[in-house]
Amino acid sequence: MSERTGPLSDLRILDLTQALAGPFCTMLLADLGADVIKVEPPRGDMARFLGPHPEDRQGCDYGGYFASINRNKRSIVLDLKTETDRDTFLRLVDTVDAVVENARVGVMDRLGVGYEVLHARQPRLVYAAIRGFGDPRTGESPYADWPAFDIVAQSMGGLVATTGPLGSRGMPCGASVGDLFPGTLAALGMVSAVHAARRTGAGQFVDVAMYDAVLSLCENIVYKYAGEGRVEHPKGFGHPALCPFDIYETQDGAAAIAAPIDPQWKLLCEIIGRPDLVEDERCCNVFERVAHRDFVNEAILSWTRCRTTREVVAALARQVPVGPVNTAADIFADPHVKIRGMLVEVEQPGENRPLTLAGPPIKLTGTPTGIYRRPPRVGEHTDEVLAEAGLSPKKETS
């Protein structure tokens, strides 16, 4: 293990989360240097068993899904349904700045470790929750007791209805945005609340609903409906107010090209050998280009379809915004992601080769982020964490 160097190295968190939204939240904080103690039930986080799996399954009790979002954490096993482990957890609460969970409404309260209990014990504690539809403490939702997954949040928050081919019923994003964005907002909320607690001595409840988070991500559908009564539908590949701003087919793939500003449009026309389009009344400004989108796109496609993606990008780079449509294989071959530390080889336990994970996207020069600890085996650090809190090692149960 290397040293935690991030700006949150003085932050300690008890992490009760499982699956994706919560662990992604605490992963962001751990990458930034926080000491994240992952509290797992005896069976471990449900995500441990999802692949891709390493060759040595005996030496490593998790797959790639778990590894990606649980690096930089320590794992302890506590069964909060037992009085002994619940008491241990409460004593650990005295040593941390924040607790975060993503259980359904009421689960932590029934276990005797809900917000009010922990806040009474440690008034400066920040308690964060990520749920499908929020917590009644911040606003009663008619859906509060509904279970939720990423696709439900994407659908209800407006993302599915505005994504996909024109005329379609919509489709979810490839990435699990309904989990990842709520987790990101929860991390920001926790840091903000800890900052306030250190100033005032008073902790608070931080609540992020997955539905709310996706709705905030789709903010443009709100003002368009409120201002004009316009209901947004799947927009296809282009942009409703900008042109050209689209994905263009090439000989061997596709590339994104965006030249909505007149100087960029002029450059693009010169490069593709169509300077006549600059003065064409159908293309003379962005409003006309949007109105004649099909004509504009066909002019560009007649050029891109005769060239490889590499040739298209080479011709436009540094002059017109352009980028290849990358697959994972393309990303692994791109020098940018290696130079920027966005592909990081992380050791794995047992007789397993290192696993490459997506690196921390937040870069700081004085207190750098990083992946300094491999993902933990279930309960790997139980005795270590208890000792730090002045508690006796946990007795093994047969």
Side-chain angles (χ1 to χ4, degrees), residues 274 276-285 295:
R274 291 295 306 276
D276 58 295
L277 295 177
V278 176
E279 302 300 329
D280 192 305
E281 61 182 14
R282 294 167 292 185
C283 311
C284 60
N285 58 54
F295 171 76

Side-chain angles (χ1 to χ4, degrees), residues 93-116:
V93 166
D94 297 336
T95 71
V96 302
D97 300 281
V99 170
V100 57
E101 47 99 347
N102 63 340
R104 291 175 66 177
V105 168
V107 170
M108 293 297 117
D109 302 289
R110 290 192 292 273
L111 288 171
V113 291
Y115 170 67
E116 286 73 20

Side-chain angles (χ1 to χ4, degrees), residues 33 47 55 57 91 135 165 224 251 276 287 289 318 375 394:
E55 294 178 4
R57 296 284 295 275
R91 294 179 68 180
D135 189 278
K224 289 177 181 177
Q251 281 184 342
D276 58 295
F287 304 107
R289 291 194 291 274
R318 298 182 179 85
K394 195 167 182 236

